[in-house]
Every structure is written in structure tokens, then in C-alpha cells.
Amino acid sequence: MKQTNYLTFTVTLLTFFFVNYSASAQSKQSSSLRINDDISLLKEINAEKNETKSIFAGNAEDKIAKEKEEEFKPSFSVGAIIHMFAGSQQDGYAFGGDPAGPDPSNWSTDFTVYRARIMVGAQLTKKGNFFMETEIPSPINGATTAGGGKQAAVTPIILDCQYEHVFNDYFSVIGGLQLVSHNRNGLQGAAGLMANDFTYYQYPYNLFPDSPLQGNFGRDLGVNFRGFFANNKLEYRLGFFSGRTSFDGTNSSPIRTVGRLVYNVFDEDKNFYYSGTNLGKGKTLSIGGGVDAQGDYLAAGVDVFLDMPVGDLGSMTLNGAYSYISGGNSPENEYSFATMIPTQNTQFMELGYYFKDLKLQPWLRYERQGMNAESNQIGDAESISDFNKYNSTTVFGGGVNYWFNGYNTNLRLSYTTTTKTVAATDESKTYGQVWLQAQIFVF
């Protein structure tokens, strides 16, 4: 009798564990399938409390509320950036003037709307976004037109028009009309510049449709691949663009290839458009290099950007770059740039200090385009040494920015000079330009 009771008790106990084990296994299998389906929702970070919570910890109402929060809703934004200035420039200033002109020392004064852009951005899906930007193709000012009127009416153009799909941190694709450069300054946003304008010589052959690379204010049509590794510290960009499409003797053209690699030593920098100064925010040291090539054309360079707190008063910004540029030395090649782009070296540096309490930032700027032409690049007009001497230019200047409302609204006062050797007199001449510029930016 005792054995029967023991046997019955044992069978009953085993049956109890078997039934509960089966139910538990089914429950775990169901949970596993749900976890696999909702893997991205397993945890959420509460930024205010800095704590991690399981989505299964709440009640049914919390779960429904969270699912609603996870539903994506497309959004868009509209903005503008305007640069306008009162300026005075000597007629011999190398950009817009002629050092060999009849009265190069004469000063001309005018009021100018330099940039007037309308920007539209849209987050279409969780991973896809769109950006479009317009621009005026020439400044609006008092310059005399071909018909004798004032340059006051300008038809806007499409400057940027691109779609980006971000698959993950490691890989994204950007297609359309977009900013193209092998160096940092060529990829900076206009609103975040430290100096009054972009550099002149870091990408000198990509600005206009009639330039050798047939660009559009530094933009080109194509597709760009971008991603980050090493805890988002290492950035790569690799793009394929139309570049120049018209070559003598052929109806075809090669793809323009642009690549760039950057390592951020301290803070990560994931912005598509780089900044020229961070106004005392964070610690940035970016070291980069890149290549831009099509046919016989090659631009290769290195750059460094430093923005760090220095002392109790504020932060220092240093932006420097060096590039080697050449169109090749074989005019007979099918895709030659030899007679369009002489071999040259360009150097660039900006140095500034931001006083955080005063919101003032004095800065200095140096840039040089040093020609080093080869035999088949200049024709028979002059010797190589004379060509290099008369076509090399140095830019030097400085100014002070008043960031009273950060990037949104600010004032910049600058004085910049250009120095060239004038062929007629074989003398080095320096001429200046003064700008008082206002920036309005909202996006």
C-alpha cells in the first residue's frame, strides 16, 4: 500500500512538472518569436533619467502607448540663408578686379545680396530624407548690366537636390545634385563659415558650368556613399559624378571619382556639411585626406580641423589644408585637362579665437595658389617660369565676427588682400577688399 501511494505520488509529480514545462516552453517560444520580430524595440533609453527599461515591464496601456510612439510620421522643414554686405574693393583686387587695369588702386563701394537661398528638407521615412536648396546665380548689387541697367533682378537656380538613404551607421547612399570636394572646406556649410566666405583655391575648377569640371557652385550630379566605423570616429565618402562631359575628339566621358577619409580624434562629426567653427561647443580634431579624379585631372590633399577650448575665455579654431592639383601633361590624351588645369599646389589656413562671453571671434586667413606648370600646359605664349610667377596668387586677411545669435544671425567685418605679380611691370602688387556682412539663417 505504501509502495502504491509512493508510485501514485511520483507519477502525479512527474505529470505536474511535464505539463508546466510544456506550457513554459510554449510561452518562451512565443516570446522568442515576438522578440525576433520586434528586436529594435527591446529596450528604450530614458534620456532624462539615464536608465534602461524593458518594453515588457509595463502594463498593456504602456505597451500600446509605446507602439504609437514608434509609429513614424513624415516631417519637413523650410528655411533660408542670406548673406548681404556693404563692401568696398580696389579695382586691382584679384577677384572681380584686374591688377593690370588702368587704375587698380581705385576703391569702388556697393551694397550686395551675396547669397539668398531657400532650403527645403523632408524626413520621408525612418531612413530616407530629402534636401533641396535654391540660390541666386550672381550677386544682386549696383553693377551695370550689359543693357546699361542695374543688377537687381536675378532668376534663382537649383543648387542642391539630393536624396539620402541611411541603411545603418556603416553605409548610406546620397544621390542627386550635391556638394562635391576632396577636402573639408569644400564640404562646409555656408552658415557655419568662420571667415567671410569660402576659400578661393581649394576647389578652383569646379565652380561654374564653363569651368573645366563643369560644376555648379561646387556641386555635381552623381551618387555618393558614406559611412562611419571605429565608434563613429572614422568617416569615409566615395562618390561617382558626371564631371566634365565635353572633350575634344570624342562623344564619351569618364566618371569623376571623389573619395575622402577622415578620423575624428575626440568628438564624432556626422554632419553632411562640415562646420568652419563650433563656437566653443565640444572638442574636435579632424584629420582627413581625399582624392578627386577624372581622366587626366587629379586633385589630392590633406586637411586638419581643430576646435578646442583654450583657457577660460573661450575656444580656438584652426582649419588648414594642402592640395596638389594637375590636369596632366599630355594634351593628346582622350580625356586630357592639360591645357585647362596647370599643375599647382594650394595652401590654406584659418585661425580664430571665440570669446564665449563677448560672442566675438577675431580671425586670420591665409591662402596661396602656387603654380608649377609643366611644358605642355601653357602653350608658346611665355616661359614656364613667367607663367608660374604671373599666375600665382596669395590671399591674406582677417576680421572679427559678432555671433550675437549664433549661426542664426551674426555680423562679420573683414579686410582681405590679394597679391600678384603684374606682368606689365614685373612688380608684385597688393590690393584690398572690406566687407561688413550680415547673416540670416533659419532651418
Side-chain angles (χ1 to χ4, degrees), residues 19 82 93 114 141-142 181 210 250 257 259 283 287 301 363 373 396 411:
V19 171
I82 298 172
Y93 192 75
Y114 190 57
N141 55 27
S181 181
D210 60 353
T250 179
T257 303
K283 298 180 180 179
I287 302 171
W363 54 268
F396 182 74
L411 292 173

Side-chain angles (χ1 to χ4, degrees), residues 342-397:
T343 300
Q344 60 199 268
N345 299 298
T346 67
Q347 304 96 42
F348 156 72
M349 189 194 73
E350 288 177 348
L351 177 64
Y353 189 87
Y354 176 68
F355 293 91
K356 59 184 179 181
D357 292 335
L358 299 175
K359 298 185 178 181
L360 293 176
Q361 184 181 50
W363 54 268
L364 294 173
R365 174 178 172 181
Y366 167 84
E367 189 174 10
R368 178 166 174 80
Q369 181 188 44
M371 291 295 177
N372 190 22
E374 300 178 68
S375 57
N376 294 324
Q377 295 178 334
I378 64 171
D380 300 324
E382 54 192 338
S383 67
I384 292 178
S385 60
D386 285 345
F387 178 89
N388 293 337
K389 180 167 61 173
Y390 300 142
N391 289 279
S392 297
T393 307
T394 300
V395 179
F396 182 74

Side-chain angles (χ1 to χ4, degrees), residues 202-217:
Q202 291 305 300
Y203 44 99
Y205 302 101
N206 188 42
L207 291 178
F208 307 108
D210 60 353
S211 60
L213 289 169
Q214 298 179 329
N216 180 41
F217 292 92

Side-chain angles (χ1 to χ4, degrees), residues 212-276:
L213 289 169
Q214 298 179 329
N216 180 41
F217 292 92
R219 277 74 176 172
D220 204 350
L221 287 163
V223 60
N224 211 352
F225 303 98
R226 182 175 181 238
F228 297 87
F229 291 91
N231 295 322
N232 292 329
K233 296 296 186 68
L234 182 66
E235 176 195 7
Y236 75 87
R237 300 190 188 206
L238 179 62
F240 303 96
F241 303 93
S242 59
R244 185 174 185 84
T245 57
S246 175
F247 291 88
D248 293 337
T250 179
N251 294 323
S252 63
S253 61
I255 291 294
R256 177 186 177 190
T257 303
V258 183
R260 176 168 170 77
L261 195 65
V262 187
Y263 186 75
N264 291 285
V265 178
F266 301 116
D267 295 345
E268 63 184 53
D269 187 356
K270 301 184 72 173
N271 295 320
F272 184 81
Y273 298 104
Y274 298 128
S275 65

Side-chain angles (χ1 to χ4, degrees), residues 13-271:
L13 187 61
L14 291 174
T15 302
F16 174 82
F17 279 109
F18 177 78
V19 171
N20 281 275
Y21 175 80
S22 299
S24 176
Q26 290 177 358
S27 176
K28 289 181 179 179
Q29 183 179 13
S30 175
S31 298
S32 177
L33 291 175
R34 183 172 57 186
I35 290 172
N36 289 336
D37 289 341
D38 300 328
I39 188 69
S40 63
L41 307 180
L42 281 177
K43 294 181 179 180
E44 64 173 344
I45 303 298
N46 186 322
E48 295 181 356
K49 297 182 179 180
N50 194 27
E51 62 182 5
T52 303
K53 301 185 295 182
S54 168
I55 65 168
F56 301 111
N59 55 31
E61 292 181 358
D62 292 338
K63 183 178 178 182
I64 293 173
K66 177 157 183 61
E67 287 176 350
K68 288 183 178 180
E69 290 177 1
E70 293 297 332
E71 291 179 1
F72 176 80
K73 295 181 180 179
S75 61
F76 74 95
S77 57
V78 178
I81 178 170
I82 298 172
H83 284 157
M84 49 190 177
F85 64 83
S88 187
Q89 176 175 305
Q90 287 183 287
D91 293 346
Y93 192 75
F95 307 103
D98 182 8
D103 191 7
S105 297
N106 179 62
W107 287 87
S108 300
T109 302
D110 209 342
F111 301 94
T112 300
V113 176
Y114 190 57
R115 289 186 180 90
R117 302 178 181 179
I118 302 297
M119 300 176 290
V120 178
Q123 189 69 41
L124 304 176
T125 67
K126 286 184 178 181
K127 299 192 176 210
N129 63 83
F130 171 77
F131 178 71
M132 186 178 74
E133 183 177 27
T134 66
E135 176 65 298
I136 52 175
S138 61
I140 300 174
N141 55 27
T144 304
T145 65
K150 187 164 69 172
Q151 184 72 32
V154 176
T155 302
I157 62 171
I158 298 296
L159 186 65
D160 299 273
C161 187
Q162 62 194 54
Y163 172 79
E164 179 184 27
H165 195 88
V166 181
F167 291 90
N168 49 49
D169 284 342
Y170 310 115
F171 185 72
S172 61
V173 180
I174 307 100
L177 181 61
Q178 57 191 285
L179 202 58
V180 178
S181 181
H182 69 285
N183 62 36
R184 182 185 179 93
N185 185 258
L187 294 169
Q188 287 179 196
L193 295 173
M194 181 169 66
N196 58 333
D197 203 359
F198 292 95
T199 63
Y200 294 101
Y201 295 125
Q202 291 305 300
Y203 44 99
Y205 302 101
N206 188 42
L207 291 178
F208 307 108
D210 60 353
S211 60
L213 289 169
Q214 298 179 329
N216 180 41
F217 292 92
R219 277 74 176 172
D220 204 350
L221 287 163
V223 60
N224 211 352
F225 303 98
R226 182 175 181 238
F228 297 87
F229 291 91
N231 295 322
N232 292 329
K233 296 296 186 68
L234 182 66
E235 176 195 7
Y236 75 87
R237 300 190 188 206
L238 179 62
F240 303 96
F241 303 93
S242 59
R244 185 174 185 84
T245 57
S246 175
F247 291 88
D248 293 337
T250 179
N251 294 323
S252 63
S253 61
I255 291 294
R256 177 186 177 190
T257 303
V258 183
R260 176 168 170 77
L261 195 65
V262 187
Y263 186 75
N264 291 285
V265 178
F266 301 116
D267 295 345
E268 63 184 53
D269 187 356
K270 301 184 72 173
N271 295 320

